[in-house]
Every structure is written in structure tokens, then in C-alpha cells.
Amino acid sequence: MQNCTRNGCGQSYDPTANNPMACQYHPGKPEFHEGLKGWTCCKPREHSFDDFLEIKGCKLGLHSNEPKHNDDPFKADLTKYDDVLPEPQPAPVAEAIAPPVSAPKAPEPDFVDEDPAGTVVAAGAKCKRNDCNAVFESEERSHGPEQCQFHPGKVLFHEGNKGWTCCKPRATDFDEFMKIKGCVRGRHLFVGTQLADEIKAEKCRRDFYQMANNVIVSIYAKKIKHDDSSLEFGADSVRVHLVYGDGKVYDDTIQLYAEIDPTASSYEFLSTKAEIKLVKKAQVQWPTLEKDNA
């Protein structure tokens, strides 16, 4: 088996079974601009780095294992970035007696989640840790100590340099950044834990448009969990509870500009949003969605 090196793919493949429809990849380059992340070859843009990595390839073709720097005389050398960030220097102390300065707080250690003992993992599940693409095979082969090499920190992009908050290496090129090896070893994380009191409320982008008889509201949230999410219609309000992504929660009560018909109104959970159809009780134009904003 060989590993495909095309952007957005990264799958293992059998060269004898390779075909023009096997690889879904991005022929362009990563593009990060004003907080949005995407590829030069297609339109989707994301705020989160994890969501950026989930953008599906926009072209089909043969898998390839050719090195990305094959034709480039410059060979990626990550060691040259080890000391990009200088060690902090102590501030000069004035001769005059200065008020006592409290010691700086030590940075909080990165939270490292673990699969609970006895966790049942589905075959083919992927490791959730940063920079690890391992696939679960069996308890013996996939849950041993120090089998996973990963980054416990978060992605850090600053002044053209790319790296992780948990270690020093930095790269200016995206392909070099993706080659920065994990700085910690541990067990793979296929399921993880998340206590209910640790789930943080999230804010989701929302917009609407209207016609003579109804108002269509979109609340943007990816991977909505249908069984755990709900919407309740009142005469002049909508109660929204969405559980989406990796345990994120969006709760809101929308106080509507005018009354609706709760029994005729409906909603649908799509791949990237919740779409709500509000049936107006009176055929009047709504200048805003919420009456507090009127």
C-alpha cells in the first residue's frame, strides 16, 4: 500500500487498483486571508482550521505518491525553524526601588483527552488527535501506549509563520507546516470523553429571507446531531436547541417580529445548517426577524 500525497486526500491506496476516479483532491494551494481558510482552486472557506481540513477535494484523478517538493531545489528542512521564536528576555530592572511585581502565571497545560477503559471503537474509526491519521484496527494494535505521535496544542499562525502552540518549530510554507511531527507520544484517541458541564454554548451565524406567506431562517452549524437537537414553535417565538460538530451546543429563543402558525411551520436539518420555515399568520412584510430589532 502507498500513501497519496495530493492535497486533501492522504489516503492509502493499492497502485494496482488506482483509477482516474479514485482520488478526490485540491489541485490548488492553501489560502488564508482575513481569518478565512480555503483553497485557491475552489470557493469553500472556513474559520476553523479543523473545518478547513475537512473541505472535500474539488477534483477527481489518480492517486499519486510523488513528493510535493520533487521539482523544487529547496528541500523542506524543519530544523531551521526550531529557533524562530527567541527565548523571552528578562525586563531590565531600574535602580530605583520599584513596586513588587507578581511572577507571571505559568501557561495552563494543554488538555489531553483519553479514551475511557473498555471503550468500544468501531472498525475504521480515525484517531482524533492533531497530526495523526491512524485508523483503528484492533485493541491490541491500535490502543497501545505511545503508538500515537501528535500535537496536544492548537494551530498557531502569526506573521507568516505557522506552527503549534505546544512546540517551537515554525514554517512559512503550508506543506512544511503539515510535516511538523507531533511533539508528544501517547495512546490514540478514537472516542474521547466530554463531560456535560464542559460543553460550552456556541454562537452560530444566522440569516433569513421572506416571501408573501412565509419566512425562511437559516442557522449555520455543521454536522447537526438530529437525535439530540430540537426546535419548538410558539405563536410568536422559536426555541432552538442544536447539538453539532464535536459536542458543541447552540441554544436560542427567537422572539419573532410577528405571529406565525406553529402547526404549519417546519424545519429541516441539512449538512451545514438548520433551515426553518415560518408560516406567517398575516401576510405582512417583516422589516426584521426579531421584534426587538424593529
Side-chain angles (χ1 to χ4, degrees):
M1 299 292 283
Q2 297 180 354
N3 291 325
C4 181
T5 58
R6 293 192 186 277
N7 290 327
C9 180
Q11 296 182 3
S12 298
Y13 68 96
D14 182 352
T16 62
N18 201 3
N19 65 79
M21 302 291 287
C23 180
Q24 187 174 359
Y25 69 100
H26 292 288
K29 297 180 180 180
E31 183 177 55
F32 300 160
H33 181 63
E34 294 183 351
L36 294 175
K37 304 169 182 65
W39 298 88
T40 57
C41 51
C42 53
K43 291 184 178 180
R45 294 292 182 270
E46 299 291 349
H47 291 280
S48 162
F49 183 76
D50 290 335
D51 290 339
F52 158 72
L53 292 179
E54 294 292 329
I55 298 176
K56 297 295 183 183
C58 56
K59 186 175 181 179
L60 295 175
L62 293 165
H63 287 300
S64 171
N65 67 342
E66 293 183 7
K68 294 183 181 180
H69 293 275
N70 192 41
D71 300 326
D72 192 341
F74 169 76
K75 300 296 182 181
D77 180 10
L78 295 177
T79 60
K80 65 191 174 79
Y81 297 107
D82 285 350
D83 299 318
V84 139
L85 296 182
E87 293 295 330
Q89 299 296 321
V93 179
E95 294 183 2
I97 298 176
V101 179
S102 58
K105 292 183 179 179
E108 294 184 4
D110 294 301
F111 172 70
V112 179
D113 200 2
E114 299 287 352
D115 286 340
T119 298
V120 178
V121 183
K126 291 185 178 180
C127 180
K128 295 183 177 182
R129 298 203 190 279
N130 293 324
D131 198 40
C132 182
N133 297 312
V135 176
F136 183 82
E137 298 179 22
S138 67
E139 187 67 22
E140 294 76 17
R141 299 185 64 179
S142 302
H143 252 164
E146 298 193 358
Q147 290 184 340
C148 182
Q149 185 173 358
F150 65 100
H151 291 288
K154 298 179 180 179
V155 174
L156 177 67
F157 293 166
H158 181 63
E159 295 182 351
N161 288 316
K162 305 170 181 65
W164 299 87
T165 58
C166 49
C167 53
K168 288 185 178 181
R170 298 290 183 267
T172 54
D173 178 76
F174 182 78
D175 290 334
E176 291 182 20
F177 159 70
M178 294 297 288
K179 291 181 180 180
I180 298 176
K181 296 296 184 183
C183 56
V184 171
R185 283 191 175 274
R187 297 178 185 271
H188 290 300
L189 179 71
F190 296 105
V191 179
T193 60
Q194 188 172 27
L195 301 177
D197 58 359
E198 292 179 347
I199 297 178
K200 296 182 179 179
E202 299 285 337
K203 291 184 178 180
C204 295
R205 185 166 64 88
R206 188 180 72 192
D207 61 25
F208 80 101
Y209 67 91
Q210 63 184 301
M211 292 173 279
N213 298 320
N214 52 60
V215 177
I216 307 298
V217 182
S218 293
I219 301 176
Y220 295 93
K222 290 185 176 181
K223 300 178 183 178
I224 297 175
K225 302 184 186 304
H226 296 200
D227 295 339
D228 299 326
S229 303
S230 63
L231 276 84
E232 298 177 7
F233 297 104
D236 59 356
S237 64
V238 181
R239 174 78 175 86
V240 184
H241 175 72
L242 300 180
V243 180
Y244 67 100
D246 296 327
K248 296 178 181 178
V249 176
Y250 171 77
D251 279 309
D252 194 13
T253 299
I254 306 173
Q255 299 295 335
L256 302 172
Y257 174 78
E259 292 189 350
I260 61 171
D261 183 345
T263 58
S265 299
S266 60
Y267 64 89
E268 182 179 7
F269 295 142
L270 304 176
S271 60
T272 59
K273 64 180 179 178
E275 187 169 278
I276 309 169
K277 181 180 180 181
L278 305 173
V279 178
K280 297 178 180 178
K281 192 168 185 179
Q283 294 186 11
V284 295
Q285 186 76 7
W286 290 18
T288 63
L289 179 63
E290 299 182 83
K291 60 184 176 183
D292 291 342
N293 298 329

